[in-house]
Amino acid sequence: MSFNRRAFMGTGLAAATVLSAPAVLADGHGKPRVVVIGGGAGGATAARYLAKDSDGALDVTLVEPSRTYFTCFFSNLYLGGFKQLSDIGHTYGALAANHGINVIHDWAVGVDRGARTVTLAGGAVLSYDKLILSPGIDFVDGAVEGWSVAAQNKMPHAYKAGSQTELLKAQIMAMPEGGTYAMVAPPNPFRCPPGPYERVSMVAHMLKANNPTAKIIIADPKPKFSKMGLFQEGWAHHYEGMIDWIGEEFGGGNVSVDPEAMTVTIDGEETAVDACNVIPAMKAGRIAEVAGVTDGNWAPVNAVDMSSKADADVYVLGDASQQGDMPKSGFSANSQAKVCANAVRGALTGSKVFPAKFSNTCWSLIGTEDGVKVGATYEATDEKIAKVDGFISQTGETGDLRKATYEESEGWYAGITADMFS
Amino acid sequence: MRWGLVLLAVCLGFAGPGAATEPLGDTEAGAKLFSKCKGCHKIGEGAEDKIGPHLNGIFGRAAAAHEGYAYSKSMKRAGADGLIWTAETLDAYIEKPRALVSKTRMSFPGMKDPQDRADLLAYLRAYSDNPADVPEAEPTATGTDHDLDPAILALKGDKEYGEYLSSECLTCHRADGSAEGIPAITRWPEEDFVIAMHAYKQKLRPHPVMQMMAGRLSNDEIAALAAYFKDLEK
Ligand SMILES: Cc1cc2nc3c(=O)[nH]c(=O)nc-3n(C[C@H](O)[C@H](O)[C@H](O)COP(=O)(O)OP(=O)(O)OC[C@H]3O[C@@H](n4cnc5c(N)ncnc54)[C@H](O)[C@@H]3O)c2cc1C
């Protein structure tokens, strides 16, 4: 009963990718070229695995404008005072030094799928045999009345980590005694479903220590949210009376903001606020649209290998993709990147392609040593990435278990960032 | 770091090494407590290294000094810095392993109760090379309880497939074998790895993420992972 290779070859994915390999190998000189756009959870992982596992057989270029990538994951813990900003910053040196990845710090501004080239803002043109897009998210224009990206310094989104996160923290720290923090929460689907609610927990934690009479209002267009029972239990326990969640039923979706006047109007009622975190509706990072692989707000992909439904030589990972049941998370993007890297390497070098397996776990911190988690495994079907099995933390768990869960999340953070950048 | 400063045990009335006449604790109670350790550590006659090193003769030995076991970098560093396993240092280590030496392969969270630790140390002490203390009693080391089909244990794992599958594990577990909040899984004896994964799969071991991950791995896939992680060295 030893391992049976034919079992894999029987799957459509393996057969298809292996068969297509010679065609690609035959054309052109030199090593096959892979260009990866976006050095975040999806892109950095894909580039690293492609370069690491192909042992120099592939020419891997990673295009990423930032020299330091601040993870959105754990950025809420920075707001809560559990992490320093420097704890969540990562650089690309090891990817170049350890794996020979060609890291280019620039923006991709054009994709010509016919010529198979990518144009950078600096003017360079890169050719590819396979293109991987993992550009994360951008915001839908006009999603929140009164807000646009031009207002992001007055009312930060802090949904791309770094200076936005720092700014939001400074604004929270500067709130007057008894002041009000408002969050405008996004509609589904969006990056990190528990993210806004973990953020509220961390802001409450910060305020409880520094400004205990302050208030938090959340205007939410949704009737419910990820880990809702767990968060509500935690809020009642740690931050009683501080947090007011206004869901769809009470007009939480009927919101406008005035960044100049610093007011938020929820279902017709205007409130003056001292810090305002607007997290608008999201869409795939703009380059996906420029490349012409989006349909509506997101880029549809085939579940077996994350290839775009519009072009077999383009792959879309992470938040930008529309893949089915996986939440838009760093863990998911990292998981998708490995499946994609395996398929791309197989297609370009003829290496064995193994069946797709995906998984996700999202940890959230509610208060000191009070961690919770939710997770699931997924498989590729013909239509989508489909959920197989899952679990979620329970309300009423012991303090010891919550603490262990929090410590586990720290282990995960160290693990995934090493898996992306080492 | 100065290991001599680790004197937590003083208040517990430990006699310390060399004064073996005063018992550390209750050996029998310690034998029971050792069940928490024996998933990874063997002790007694014929004990071999498993996930962790065997613990015969641990008292008086320098950290990471037992040959043949692949210690973590951190434990090796601690040894080089002069950490010697005595009643005091072992007590501090067992109380909270990560507080004494962080990033080792040991994923045990710690034992809070001082009496429990004293009992456990008394038990460990019984297997250290001090003639006055060598027990006549039978060695207690036994394999991890399991009822896995021997055919499953006999499966030979495909390392290449294991490498691909391992990428899913490495989102959380570290390729360099360090354990920080999440256990190390590199360089385990294959059999221990297979037994542990099947225990998750059968929901005998209680961790929801691992039950879920192991739950969808086939017997061959578990064997492949065991084969890959066994030799992973970084
Ligand atoms: C507050 C918050 C908390 C979160 N917490 C968690 C958590 O605990 N666990 C978890 O798993 N996930 C978490 N997430 C979600 C996680 O951050 C994202 O899902 C993940 O980063 C998605 O990966 P990605 O590769 O799709 O995009 P990103 O990681 O955003 O990477 C995209 C990269 O592409 C670059 N880019 C964009 N356009 C271009 C272009 N034109 N040219 C070149 N480069 C470009 C960007 O600079 C960026 O670095 C959280 C998110 C937020 C906001």
Side-chain angles (χ1 to χ4, degrees):
Chain A
M1 232 212 316
S2 75
F3 169 75
N4 181 350
R5 179 151 188 247
R6 250 173 308 145
F8 295 135
M9 303 315 289
T11 67
L13 156 69
T17 12
V18 170
L19 285 179
S20 70
V24 179
L25 287 173
D27 107 281
H29 304 284
K31 295 180 195 173
R33 286 153 307 185
V34 183
V35 173
V36 181
I37 300 182
T45 308
R48 182 171 174 271
Y49 272 79
L50 279 167
K52 172 171 86 66
D53 294 344
S54 69
D55 268 334
L58 293 175
D59 183 337
V60 181
T61 299
L62 177 63
V63 183
E64 162 62 50
S66 311
R67 281 167 198 278
T68 303
Y69 172 84
F70 290 95
T71 57
C72 282
F73 26 110
F74 274 25
S75 67
N76 288 330
L77 275 61
Y78 158 73
L79 294 177
F82 293 93
K83 298 283 163 203
Q84 305 291 314
L85 195 63
S86 57
D87 295 336
I88 61 169
H90 304 268
T91 54
Y92 295 89
L95 290 183
N98 299 346
H99 307 291
I101 296 169
N102 178 20
V103 180
I104 301 180
H105 290 299
D106 202 347
W107 288 94
V109 291
V111 174
D112 182 337
R113 292 197 278 115
R116 290 202 283 193
T117 57
V118 173
T119 306
L120 307 186
V125 177
L126 310 171
S127 316
Y128 65 81
D129 294 302
K130 296 280 188 187
L131 174 65
I132 299 176
L133 301 174
S134 194
I137 52 120
D138 271 311
F139 302 109
V140 173
D141 287 339
V144 175
E145 196 186 325
W147 192 92
S148 72
V149 182
Q152 70 174 7
N153 285 356
K154 293 238 157 56
M155 294 189 170
H157 51 79
Y159 237 61
K160 299 183 187 186
S163 54
Q164 274 280 302
T165 326
E166 230 178 338
L167 184 64
L168 182 61
K169 183 161 183 177
Q171 292 176 357
I172 295 164
M173 298 309 285
M175 279 168 54
E177 199 181 319
T180 300
Y181 167 97
M183 170 187 278
V184 178
N188 291 321
F190 64 99
R191 154 177 285 188
C192 194
Y197 313 98
E198 180 188 59
R199 174 168 296 170
V200 162
S201 309
M202 291 295 95
V203 171
H205 175 82
M206 195 49 137
L207 290 174
K208 191 176 165 187
N210 298 294
N211 189 350
T213 53
K215 290 268 172 276
I216 297 177
I217 335 173
I218 313 162
D220 202 328
K222 304 182 290 299
K224 56 186 172 53
F225 56 85
S226 170
K227 302 182 197 169
M228 184 160 169
L230 294 165
F231 279 115
Q232 290 187 328
E233 175 196 53
W235 292 348
H237 173 66
H238 298 287
Y239 318 113
E240 207 201 328
M242 191 181 245
I243 302 169
D244 187 9
W245 178 73
I246 303 169
E248 181 199 36
E249 204 189 334
F250 298 98
N254 179 15
V255 183
S256 63
V257 298
D258 184 338
E260 289 307 321
M262 282 303 282
T263 57
V264 176
T265 305
I266 305 171
D267 212 21
E269 193 181 318
E270 186 180 281
T271 309
V273 296
D274 302 290
C276 188
N277 177 199
V278 176
I279 310 174
M282 295 168 207
K283 60 178 185 180
R286 209 176 118 62
I287 192 73
E289 195 182 323
V290 169
V293 295
T294 51
D295 177 8
N297 286 337
W298 309 101
V301 294
N302 297 302
V304 282
D305 58 357
M306 304 302 292
S307 61
S308 161
K309 298 224 167 171
D311 186 333
D313 290 325
V314 178
Y315 299 74
V316 187
L317 304 179
D319 292 355
S321 69
Q322 180 184 310
Q323 33 69 21
D325 296 349
M326 294 184 86
K328 296 186 188 300
S329 74
F331 199 123
S332 297
N334 170 271
S335 170
Q336 292 159 8
K338 291 164 183 173
V339 168
C340 172
N342 187 251
V344 166
R345 185 164 63 94
L348 295 176
T349 69
S351 65
K352 240 194 229 177
V353 176
F354 296 106
K357 272 186 201 290
F358 302 96
S359 54
N360 176 58
T361 299
C362 284
W363 285 265
S364 301
L365 187 61
I366 302 178
T368 306
E369 297 186 339
D370 190 0
V372 293
K373 63 187 169 190
V374 59
T377 52
Y378 305 85
E379 65 186 6
T381 68
D382 287 346
E383 305 103 80
K384 62 171 184 175
I385 298 183
K387 181 170 167 179
V388 178
D389 186 17
F391 70 88
I392 181 162
S393 296
Q394 302 298 304
T395 50
E397 286 172 347
T398 63
D400 278 352
L401 180 55
R402 291 294 175 86
K403 177 167 181 256
T405 302
Y406 171 59
E407 288 175 355
E408 198 174 272
S409 74
E410 295 211 294
W412 164 77
Y413 185 87
I416 191 172
T417 50
D419 202 34
M420 291 163 64
F421 294 110
S422 71
Chain B
M1 207 179 285
R2 293 272 138 61
W3 301 107
L5 293 179
V6 184
L7 290 171
L8 300 180
V10 172
C11 58
L12 306 177
F14 277 175
T21 39
E22 267 181 58
L24 293 170
D26 176 350
T27 330
E28 265 175 46
K32 290 208 188 86
L33 288 162
F34 190 70
S35 66
K36 290 182 194 290
C37 319
K38 72 180 186 190
C40 299
H41 293 288
K42 301 299 164 203
I43 196 164
E45 207 183 317
E48 289 176 0
D49 295 340
K50 290 291 184 181
I51 292 164
H54 77 67
L55 297 176
N56 291 339
I58 182 81
F59 276 77
R61 191 158 77 200
H66 162 56
E67 272 183 34
Y69 179 74
Y71 289 96
S72 61
K73 278 196 202 117
S74 311
M75 192 54 93
K76 284 188 198 149
R77 212 174 300 126
D81 286 351
L83 174 62
I84 308 277
W85 293 124
T86 64
E88 286 88 349
T89 55
L90 280 170
D91 182 65
Y93 191 56
I94 295 169
E95 182 181 11
K96 194 160 188 214
R98 274 190 289 149
L100 190 66
V101 191
S102 64
K103 299 192 178 182
T104 75
R105 292 188 195 292
M106 178 137 131
S107 55
F108 183 61
M111 193 177 271
K112 276 193 201 138
D113 186 63
Q115 188 58 50
D116 283 354
R117 295 200 303 275
D119 294 345
L120 181 63
L121 286 179
Y123 175 74
L124 294 182
R125 178 65 197 250
Y127 295 94
S128 277
D129 194 17
N130 181 336
D133 287 335
V134 171
E136 292 85 50
E138 81 288 23
T140 35
T142 50
T144 316
D145 297 333
H146 67 86
D147 55 3
L148 269 188
D149 184 346
I152 291 180
L153 286 174
L155 284 177
K156 203 162 152 21
D158 175 323
K159 270 175 114 172
E160 191 185 353
Y161 189 33
E163 179 172 18
Y164 167 69
L165 291 170
S166 77
S167 66
E168 189 160 45
C169 315
L170 295 176
T171 304
C172 298
H173 298 278
R174 306 290 301 273
D176 66 8
S178 58
E180 254 182 299
I182 292 197
I185 56 171
T186 57
R187 307 193 54 108
W188 287 29
E190 277 174 275
E191 181 168 305
D192 293 299
F193 192 103
V194 170
I195 291 167
M197 290 299 279
H198 281 278
Y200 283 124
K201 190 172 163 146
Q202 295 166 12
K203 304 206 190 294
L204 299 172
R205 279 178 87 145
H207 192 277
V209 180
M210 286 310 302
Q211 289 182 354
M212 179 180 84
M213 303 304 278
R216 63 150 171 192
L217 292 172
S218 68
N219 297 343
D220 282 315
E221 289 172 334
I222 289 175
L225 283 168
Y228 177 70
F229 277 117
K230 172 174 67 83
D231 295 324
L232 188 63
E233 190 156 37
K234 265 211 140 182

